[in-house]
């Protein structure tokens, strides 16, 4: 009986002594420590040493682990990963990572200056992702929001306007680009100097007065060897087409006049038809390239001065 009493007393003493330990653990656990921070810092060291492929793998691993235990560096990991995608010219992936980082920073109450810097990077990635495509940035929900919602800073809104204008210029939407630029000047009158505004206005006027070459007309004119290329302002190709196709046609006419039908059939049913088809195609291509080159020349002062906003 005495042994049982001693055992019970001993257990109560041990329980009493263990209470502070349990209380301490109870206070520690809700602090949500970053259990995988070592993975992030290891990825960061790889990135800083130039081992970008390995850093990408570790960053993705760290981001995936956030599904099990939220840490403190997820937004930073996404930002670094976006930089890796940028180096690989994968701008859509970079934009996606940056957008996720923005959402996390907004939820965590990060400084507004840092979030605005991420938004500007997001716009830059979206603009680069649209290059070489027929995607219109003004149709992008993020760009539209940056441009039109007053809650964003002037720096972010102006950068969105510049990206939308540049994208419209690249896709030949001159009228939209001019209207958007006019609106940007009204909203941000101090963004460009008077000299820059004059250059941009004059360039838009020249673009509006520019009359592009008609590709169909260039093709029709090519039935006369070299005339289509001459219309498209490609003088060297025009001379080559005139000499080559003109010589073949002259030989065909001569063979008909001398009743040399064998020579005529050899020239007519193979070389002349092929050369004429190539002549028409090249004239239309030359007209397209002339229009593109001319528009790029006229647009260059606009794009340069847009990017030099104050």
């Amino acid at each position: 009986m005495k042994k049982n009493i001693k055992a019970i007393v001993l257990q109560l003493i041990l329980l009493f002594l263990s209470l502070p330990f349990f209380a301490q653990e109870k206070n520690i656990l809700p602090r949500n420590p970053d259990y995988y921070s070592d993975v992030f810092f290891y990825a960061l060291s790889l990135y800083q040493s130039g081992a970008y492929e390995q850093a990408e793998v570790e960053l993705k691993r760290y981001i995936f682990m956030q599904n099990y235990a939220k840490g403190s560096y997820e937004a930073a990991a996404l930002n670094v990963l976006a930089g890796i995608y940028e180096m690989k010219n994968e701008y859509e992936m970079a934009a996606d990572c940056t957008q996720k980082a923005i959402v996390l920073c907004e939820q965590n109450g990060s400084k507004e200056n840092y979030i605005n810097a991420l938004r500007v990077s997001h716009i830059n990635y979206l603009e680069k992702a649209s290059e070489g495509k027929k995607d219109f940035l003004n149709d992008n929900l993020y760009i539209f929001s940056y441009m039109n919602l007053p809650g964003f800073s002037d720096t972010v809104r102006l950068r969105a306007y510049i990206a939308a204008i540049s994208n419209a210029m690249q896709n030949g939407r001159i009228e939209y680009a001019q209207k958007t630029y006019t609106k940007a000047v009204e909203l941000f009158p101090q963004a460009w100097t008077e000299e820059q505004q004059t250059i941009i206005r004059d360039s838009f006027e020249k673009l509006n007065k520019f009359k592009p070459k008609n590709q169909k007309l260039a093709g029709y004119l090519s039935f006369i060897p070299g005339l289509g290329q001459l219309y498209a302002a490609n003088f060297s190709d025009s001379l080559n087409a005139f000499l080559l196709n003109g010589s073949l046609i002259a030989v065909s006419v001569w063979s008909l006049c001398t009743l040399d039908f064998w020579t005529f059939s050899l020239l007519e049913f193979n070389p002349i038809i092929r050369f004429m088809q190539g002549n028409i195609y090249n004239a239309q291509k030359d007209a397209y390239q002339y229009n593109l080159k001319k528009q790029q020349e006229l647009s260059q002062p606009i794009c340069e001065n847009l990017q030099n906003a104050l």
Side-chain angles (χ1 to χ4, degrees):
M1 185 68 178
K2 290 182 180 181
K3 291 182 180 180
N4 291 338
I5 294 173
K6 287 181 180 180
I8 293 171
V9 170
L10 182 61
Q11 289 178 356
L12 289 173
I13 291 171
L14 290 174
L15 180 61
F16 177 77
L17 293 174
S18 65
L19 283 176
F21 173 76
F22 288 117
Q24 187 179 5
E25 278 211 335
K26 188 177 179 182
N27 291 329
I28 290 174
L29 290 176
R31 292 178 187 176
N32 192 23
D34 195 336
Y35 294 106
Y36 307 110
S37 59
D38 290 344
V39 178
F40 170 74
F41 287 113
Y42 175 59
L44 195 61
S45 65
L46 289 171
Y47 176 82
Q48 292 171 344
S49 64
Y52 301 119
E53 291 185 3
Q54 294 90 334
E56 180 182 350
V57 172
E58 294 301 320
L59 286 168
K60 288 179 178 178
R61 188 158 72 98
Y62 175 78
I63 293 168
F64 176 75
M65 288 174 176
Q66 304 307 297
N67 295 320
Y68 301 97
K70 284 291 182 182
S72 306
Y73 305 105
E74 186 176 2
L78 286 165
N79 195 23
V80 176
L81 187 59
I84 295 175
Y85 283 132
E86 181 184 12
M87 288 187 288
K88 295 166 64 177
N89 296 327
E90 297 179 6
Y91 297 113
E92 291 182 1
M93 296 294 292
D96 183 59
C97 287
T98 307
Q99 174 56 27
K100 291 178 180 177
I102 291 171
V103 172
L104 285 172
C105 288
E106 289 174 342
Q107 292 174 350
N108 297 333
S110 301
K111 292 183 179 180
E112 192 65 22
N113 289 340
Y114 179 70
I115 297 176
N116 285 334
L118 287 176
R119 288 167 180 158
V120 171
S121 297
H122 187 215
I123 295 168
N124 292 338
Y125 292 142
L126 290 173
E127 182 180 11
K128 290 178 181 178
S130 69
E131 291 178 358
K133 301 179 181 179
K134 291 298 181 181
D135 298 338
F136 300 133
L137 276 182
N138 60 299
D139 295 333
N140 185 284
L141 181 61
Y142 294 117
I143 296 295
F144 180 84
S145 300
Y146 290 141
M147 290 172 61
N148 296 286
L149 296 182
F152 297 111
S153 68
D154 287 349
T155 303
V156 174
R157 295 186 67 196
L158 177 60
R159 186 66 193 87
Y161 268 95
I162 292 173
I165 296 167
S166 299
N167 173 262
M169 297 292 296
Q170 292 172 5
N171 288 286
R173 301 180 68 188
I174 307 303
E175 184 179 355
Y176 171 81
Q178 189 171 6
K179 288 181 179 179
T180 307
Y181 166 73
T182 302
K183 186 177 179 181
V185 172
E186 293 175 357
L187 292 171
F188 315 103
Q190 304 300 324
W192 297 277
T193 63
E194 288 293 334
E195 182 182 358
Q196 289 174 330
Q197 292 183 31
T198 301
I199 293 172
I200 293 173
R201 281 196 302 268
D202 292 344
S203 298
F204 272 123
E205 288 180 6
K206 291 178 182 178
L207 274 170
N208 290 326
K209 291 178 181 178
F210 169 66
K211 294 182 179 179
K213 302 290 186 182
N214 189 310
Q215 291 178 248
K216 287 185 178 180
L217 179 58
Y220 292 141
L221 290 174
S222 295
F223 284 101
I224 300 175
L227 190 56
Q229 284 89 342
L230 183 64
Y231 168 74
N234 192 335
F235 304 113
S236 58
D237 280 2
S238 174
L239 181 61
N240 291 335
F242 176 75
L243 293 175
L244 182 59
N245 291 345
S247 299
L248 287 173
I249 292 173
V251 172
S252 296
V253 172
W254 176 82
S255 62
L256 281 177
C257 293
T258 57
L259 302 180
D260 186 359
F261 297 109
W262 175 250
T263 302
F264 174 78
S265 62
L266 287 177
L267 293 173
E268 182 65 25
F269 294 111
N270 194 12
I272 286 184
I273 293 176
R274 289 190 179 184
F275 278 121
M276 287 299 294
Q277 288 176 340
N279 194 32
I280 293 170
Y281 170 78
N282 287 333
Q284 291 177 327
K285 185 184 71 173
D286 288 341
Y288 170 78
Q289 290 179 340
Y290 172 83
N291 294 337
L292 183 63
K293 182 180 178 181
K294 200 68 178 177
Q295 287 178 344
Q296 288 176 345
E297 289 177 359
L298 295 173
S299 301
Q300 186 175 359
I302 298 175
C303 295
E304 288 179 353
N305 284 278
L306 280 174
Q307 300 298 335
N308 293 330
L310 298 177

